[in-house]
Amino acid sequence: MGDVPRDDRSGPASSSPMAVSRHPARREARFEELFRAHYRSVEAFVRGQFPGADVADVLSTTFATAWRRLDDIRVQSERGWLIGVANNTALNSVRGRRRRNARDEAYRTITVRGATELHDHDVAPETFELLRSAFERLSASDREIIQLAAFDGLTGADLGAALGISSGAAAVRLHRARERFSEHYRKQEQP
């Protein structure tokens, strides 16, 4: 068998991905070095390229990803790798916010159809107004999950994936949002 190259730290050479993952202390030290060396430049990139982004959230996600994928990051391209992750994270955040805002705006501008357009399954305009008012009283996250389920038809795993949570957590969240919606509606009906 050939000799395995060793460095001064008496372990496998640092170019080996397994060198870091097998030693928790080395892993923590490597991550700390990476964080200290690149945090400010990644932060400056996010602030400069995405002025409306939640910088703290983007940085948190970027460095959490770096921690998980530490063995995949080549030392010579750490900064570029981190900026790539930050860029993708910020773009996802911006796109998500745009989708939520557009969907919220679309649901806010729903109008009651004229009497000739009403069908047997539609509700009376007065009831519709009570429903719309109850819906507007919900938090943004409650409106979002109800919209995804009721208007976009998402259920189970699809609903969870759209929200970035498990299908079980989505079911619980949807149930609670529907309860709050019903409560707002019932309060309006009472004289």
Side-chain angles (χ1 to χ4, degrees):
M1 293 254 159
D3 291 335
V4 174
R6 304 234 175 227
D7 63 9
D8 293 326
R9 295 175 287 194
S10 70
S14 60
S15 63
S16 167
M18 299 309 287
V20 175
S21 65
R22 291 186 187 181
H23 302 284
R26 283 190 192 167
R27 181 176 178 78
E28 289 174 19
R30 168 105 196 293
F31 180 78
E32 200 170 306
E33 285 175 25
L34 176 125
F35 185 86
R36 285 188 178 142
H38 303 294
Y39 181 87
R40 292 203 190 282
S41 64
V42 174
E43 179 184 27
F45 167 80
V46 173
R47 286 189 191 285
Q49 294 298 315
F50 301 95
D54 181 346
V55 176
D57 187 49
V58 171
L59 291 172
S60 173
T61 301
T62 299
F63 283 96
T65 301
W67 173 257
R68 282 191 316 275
R69 307 251 336 258
L70 194 58
D71 291 339
D72 298 334
I73 306 171
R74 298 177 65 207
V75 174
Q76 22 329 5
S77 58
E78 288 174 343
R79 183 173 175 269
W81 190 93
L82 288 166
I83 285 177
V85 172
N87 184 62
N88 291 339
T89 301
L91 284 172
N92 286 339
S93 175
V94 168
R95 280 192 295 263
R97 187 175 36 235
R98 276 192 207 133
R99 279 192 306 269
R100 282 188 300 277
N101 290 344
R103 192 171 46 239
D104 284 348
E105 182 59 30
Y107 294 129
R108 267 194 300 277
T109 60
I110 291 174
T111 58
V112 180
R113 289 176 278 172
T116 58
E117 298 176 52
L118 293 177
H119 301 286
D120 291 338
H121 63 276
D122 287 321
V123 296
E126 301 80 28
T127 304
F128 181 84
E129 281 305 314
L130 291 174
L131 289 168
R132 187 156 53 108
S133 178
F135 186 74
E136 288 173 355
R137 287 192 169 101
L138 293 172
S139 69
S141 63
D142 282 351
R143 283 193 310 267
E144 177 183 37
I145 196 163
I146 288 174
Q147 290 168 358
L148 289 170
F151 295 104
D152 299 321
L154 298 182
T155 60
D158 288 336
L159 183 58
L163 297 167
I165 57 179
S166 71
S167 59
V172 169
R173 193 171 144 197
L174 178 59
H175 174 74
R176 290 178 179 162
R178 285 176 172 162
E179 283 182 336
R180 286 186 283 271
F181 177 68
S182 294
E183 184 179 321
H184 288 308
Y185 180 77
R186 282 190 304 271
K187 284 181 181 176
Q188 294 180 103
E189 280 191 314
Q190 296 171 353

